[in-house]
Every structure is written in C-alpha cells, then in structure tokens.
Amino acid sequence: MIYYALQNANSSVIAVTGTATLLKSLLDTAGSVTHVFPDSLNGVDLYVEDGDIRVLFDDQTPTASKGILLKKGVYYHFRHVDLFKMRLIRTGSSNVAVGVQIGFSSPEEITTSSNVAFASELQAGEDLTNDVIKVEQRFSYNYISTATTTQVKSGAGFLHAIVVGETAAGSIKVIDNTSGTTTNLGELKASIVEGTYVFNCSFATGLRIVTAAASKITVIYR
C-alpha cells in the first residue's frame, strides 16, 4: 500500500465508540481537523489496541453484535475497500483505541490480518517481569501411619517422594504393582531417619506401599 499522510499524528489513533461512525469522521475527531481525502483511497491498516470492534464497508450500520468482528491485539490490512462507507463500533462498554494508516492499494494486494502478542492476554503462568514461564508441580499425597499394605494408586503414575515424619520403625517397600509385596521400585530400610526421600520416577502398573511397622510417612505422587 502507498500510504497517504494524515494531517497530524493525533489522527493516527481513533477512538471507536458505542455509536457506529464513519472512519473519516473518526479521523477528523481524533485530529481535530477536517480531512479532505482523494476519492481513490482504498486501503487501510488497523491495529485494534484495547478492545474488540465491528466494522462494515458497505455504508450499512454495524452494531455491537453485527458486522465483521475485529479482535483486540490484531493488525488488519484491508485492501480495495471503500473507505468512505466504512463504519466502526465497539463491542464492549468502553471506547477502543485503534491505530490507523490509510493509502492506495497496489493491484496485487489482498486483505490480510496478523496476530501479535498482547501483554494482558499472554498465556497463564507467564512472568512478565522476569520474562519466564512459571511451572508449578502439583502432586497428590497419601499419609500412612500403621503397619499395613496401601494401594496408593492403580495404573500408571509418578512417584515424587516419600516423607518420613519420624524414624521408621520398620522397612518401607515401594512396589510398582497392584498386588503382592515384592519390592521393585525401592525400599527404605528400618530405622531410616526423618527426611524427604526423592524418587522422581514413573510407575506403570500402580503404586503400592508396604510398611512393616507403625511409621509416619507421606507418599507424594501423581
């Protein structure tokens, strides 16, 4: 597109209101001037900054729910359209700032749009201040305090750790199965001291814990 200069910089950002308004009128209001445009203008770039809007190009009147929806945070490049019949309206309750450039479309150009990252819509967990993604590990737990066999989980899963709350009175067998007492993941021996014993390993069939005596342990898994 060959750009056509607006009369001042203020005109480059219009405020789309709750009333469907011609683009030219919005440009005039933003720049506090009366633009005189050549009839051959037929291209416009819009960057929808802080809210959704709707637009129609055929001199019809869009509403908050009718018309072409233009989404917040997207650049739109409209080509070979009638700018002088283009009306815009916001979809929400607050005016929407829209960046505007107008001009003359080249014969080969087509209408396009492109998404851009918008700070308030970044994915959950993104730390904008430190520019990192925060990852939180979440686990279930099972508290065991007696000499017993506990099927903590059936099916595949992940064993993060076993927390021993007091010196173990007996051995603690860790088994990948839903039956039996044969140790195949690991075993914490009798008299093992208080602390967190990290496994960080997957199991395929199930997670089964056999405590030989009354020991206060917490199994952390998912």
Side-chain angles (χ1 to χ4, degrees):
M1 183 173 75
I2 301 173
Y3 292 107
Y4 181 86
L6 297 167
Q7 289 195 13
N8 58 54
N10 290 335
S11 297
S12 66
V13 179
I14 60 175
V16 179
T17 70
T19 301
T21 306
L22 289 168
L23 174 62
K24 181 184 182 305
S25 297
L26 294 172
L27 292 168
D28 289 348
T29 299
S32 299
V33 295
T34 300
H35 291 88
V36 179
F37 294 128
D39 293 339
S40 54
L41 282 172
N42 65 350
V44 58
D45 293 342
L46 301 178
Y47 175 53
V48 187
E49 297 185 10
D50 54 5
D52 298 345
I53 65 173
R54 290 188 182 271
V55 60
L56 286 173
F57 294 91
D58 53 3
D59 211 21
Q60 297 296 314
T61 302
T63 68
S65 60
K66 303 295 182 182
I68 300 170
L69 179 64
L70 306 186
K71 296 292 291 181
K72 171 185 174 181
V74 180
Y75 279 106
Y76 295 90
H77 313 279
F78 293 104
R79 299 296 182 263
H80 308 288
V81 294
D82 191 341
L83 268 62
F84 303 102
K85 293 183 179 180
M86 181 178 178
R87 296 178 188 270
L88 304 93
I89 190 171
R90 72 192 188 207
T91 63
S93 58
S94 300
N95 290 350
V96 177
V98 178
V100 181
Q101 288 184 304
I102 60 175
F104 305 94
S105 303
S106 301
E108 70 280 3
E109 286 187 291
I110 60 173
T111 294
T112 60
S113 65
S114 57
N115 290 305
V116 296
F118 203 86
S120 66
E121 294 182 345
L122 294 172
Q123 60 184 308
E126 190 159 359
D127 183 338
L128 298 179
T129 302
N130 298 303
D131 194 24
V132 296
I133 297 292
K134 293 181 177 179
V135 179
E136 179 185 36
Q137 297 188 72
R138 293 193 174 188
F139 299 98
S140 299
Y141 69 91
N142 193 309
Y143 179 69
I144 304 168
S145 61
T146 61
T148 186
T149 297
T150 304
Q151 190 66 45
V152 175
K153 183 177 181 180
S154 296
F158 182 84
L159 172 59
H160 173 54
I162 294 177
V163 180
V164 178
E166 65 180 12
T167 300
S171 66
I172 302 165
K173 292 183 177 182
V174 186
I175 303 164
D176 181 358
N177 212 329
T178 55
S179 62
T181 58
T182 301
T183 301
N184 55 18
L185 272 181
E187 183 172 350
L188 302 180
K189 66 181 182 179
S191 301
I192 196 166
V193 298
E194 298 174 7
T196 300
Y197 297 88
V198 177
F199 284 77
N200 278 345
C201 65
S202 300
F203 51 87
T205 305
L207 180 58
R208 191 172 177 86
I209 303 293
V210 179
T211 48
S215 303
K216 297 179 180 178
I217 68 170
T218 303
V219 182
I220 303 172
Y221 71 97
R222 65 169 179 261

